[in-house]
Amino acid sequence: MNKLVYKISIAFFLLIIISGFAAAQEKNLTTEEKAVLCLNESRQIFAEMQNESFNVKSINESLVRAQNTFNAHLVLKEQNKKYDFSLVLPDCETIRAIRENASSSRDELIALMKFYNESYVAGMNTSKIDALIEEIKKEIEDERYGKVKSLIDRGYTEIIEAKSSYTTFNLFMSTTTRGLKSFFFNNWIYIASFFGILIILFIIYKKKISVWIIQRKIERLEIRKKTLKGLIMQTQKDYFQNGKIPEGVYNVRTKKFAELIRNIDRDIPLLREGLAKIEKSKRKTEK
């Protein structure tokens, strides 16, 4: 374990030195040289994403456009006319952004699937979850990465609610469905009274219900945070020990997972602050 930590530390140290050297070198490059470098990087991104079975239509379009722009201004330069190789760079930035969004979307889907598999109980109704996962896969396939995050969040909610519903109501529903119609007909007075009592209890225990809801949200975020930490460890293992993934993919994944964890770390204190306010209000009411 100590040897592994030592190797990781050395790797990060060398990465920092190399990055600093590269940044210093880049400042001295001409715009044309920067354009050449960005085209080479874009071709590498294109190849990596093809190897990872991503749809590369939009990247290919941006790469072709960047190459055509470069060729056009190279001709202008050779003819001693006004040229501007910096016009190539925006397409390269677009390609980098697509790569990051694509990797992030797939990694978040992997995290969701892991949580889904761990949460699944035989007999649980997963129709909504399965349909949502297929929708996420379709969005990734069609390169509509902007919609993926909100769908992923819905996925976590659907999984938790499906499991909760199965655990709480499955036995009740399986034993009462057949006689449900006659049950309501014969006992409507009692049912109406029951719901009346529920409404009264809700008014009385509204703050306790709010506390329960917030605690549930915190629990869900803690579960998601734990899943993301596990994926970071797996990514580090795949890169440093197994060499399964390239450096670019490793950097994008660890950066995105860390960003998601930071967002969770910001959300949890806010929820706990809201919880504390409710508890404080509750104590004042009791006095």
Side-chain angles (χ1 to χ4, degrees):
M1 184 64 184
N2 290 333
K3 288 183 179 179
L4 177 60
V5 173
Y6 176 76
K7 288 181 180 179
I8 293 174
S9 301
I10 292 297
F12 275 118
F13 179 73
L14 291 174
L15 183 61
I16 292 171
I17 292 176
I18 292 170
S19 299
F21 178 77
Q25 289 292 101
E26 188 173 346
K27 290 181 180 178
N28 298 323
L29 295 177
T30 64
T31 306
E32 181 180 355
E33 290 170 335
K34 290 180 180 180
V36 171
L37 284 175
C38 93
L39 284 171
N40 290 336
E41 181 189 1
S42 297
R43 293 188 193 99
Q44 183 179 354
I45 290 172
F46 179 88
E48 287 177 356
M49 292 190 68
Q50 270 192 321
N51 291 334
E52 293 175 35
S53 301
F54 281 104
N55 191 341
V56 291
K57 181 181 177 182
S58 57
I59 284 186
N60 184 59
E61 291 173 352
S62 296
L63 182 55
V64 169
R65 185 167 53 249
Q67 185 65 62
N68 290 340
T69 302
F70 179 87
N71 293 341
H73 285 271
L74 187 61
V75 171
L76 291 174
K77 179 184 177 183
E78 291 171 352
Q79 295 175 349
N80 293 323
K81 294 181 180 179
K82 186 177 180 181
Y83 62 89
D84 186 4
F85 288 105
S86 67
L87 297 175
V88 176
L89 304 180
D91 283 314
C92 294
E93 290 297 328
T94 299
I95 290 171
R96 291 191 195 101
I98 293 172
R99 191 269 300 275
E100 183 172 347
N101 290 334
S103 297
S104 173
S105 297
R106 179 173 287 182
D107 291 337
E108 289 202 50
L109 177 58
I110 291 170
L112 177 66
M113 292 302 300
K114 182 178 180 182
F115 178 64
Y116 181 19
N117 293 332
E118 292 173 348
S119 303
Y120 177 77
V121 178
M124 189 170 80
N125 184 0
T126 61
S127 56
K128 288 185 179 180
I129 302 167
D130 294 336
L132 188 58
I133 287 172
E134 287 304 314
E135 185 178 354
I136 293 170
K137 289 179 179 178
K138 188 69 167 60
E139 293 297 323
I140 293 175
E141 174 66 23
D142 294 342
E143 300 178 270
R144 292 192 293 265
Y145 304 115
K147 297 182 179 181
V148 171
K149 187 179 184 305
S150 61
L151 293 173
I152 290 286
D153 290 337
R154 276 179 54 197
Y156 280 101
T157 301
E158 289 290 348
I159 292 168
I160 291 171
E161 289 182 354
K163 186 174 181 180
S164 176
S165 297
Y166 175 84
T167 304
T168 308
F169 299 112
N170 186 62
L171 181 60
F172 172 79
M173 292 300 295
S174 64
T175 56
T176 60
T177 300
R178 291 182 180 178
L180 196 58
K181 186 174 181 180
S182 60
F183 174 79
F184 277 109
F185 181 78
N186 295 326
N187 300 280
W188 69 269
I189 295 177
Y190 301 104
I191 294 170
S193 301
F194 172 74
F195 280 106
I197 292 170
L198 281 182
I199 292 171
I200 294 170
L201 289 174
F202 175 78
I203 295 171
I204 296 172
Y205 294 103
K206 182 179 178 181
K207 290 181 180 178
K208 286 187 177 181
I209 294 171
S210 298
V211 168
W212 178 81
I213 292 172
I214 293 174
Q215 288 174 338
R216 191 179 178 200
K217 288 181 180 178
I218 292 172
E219 179 184 352
R220 183 176 63 188
L221 289 174
E222 293 287 2
I223 291 171
R224 189 172 182 184
K225 181 179 176 181
K226 183 178 178 181
T227 303
L228 290 168
K229 284 185 175 179
L231 287 171
I232 288 176
M233 292 177 64
Q234 184 62 47
T235 300
Q236 290 173 339
K237 184 177 179 181
D238 288 343
Y239 177 63
F240 290 107
Q241 290 186 7
N242 302 327
K244 290 182 178 179
I245 58 175
E247 181 180 344
V249 174
Y250 166 77
N251 290 333
V252 170
R253 285 188 182 179
T254 52
K255 178 182 176 183
K256 188 60 183 179
F257 288 151
E259 181 183 341
L260 291 171
I261 290 173
R262 284 195 298 271
N263 291 339
I264 291 172
D265 287 337
R266 283 195 294 268
D267 291 340
I268 289 176
L270 293 174
L271 289 171
R272 285 179 175 157
E273 183 180 343
L275 201 60
K277 288 180 179 178
I278 293 173
E279 293 289 353
K280 184 177 179 181
S281 173
K282 183 180 173 184
R283 286 194 295 270
K284 285 182 179 180
T285 304
E286 288 175 351
K287 290 180 181 179

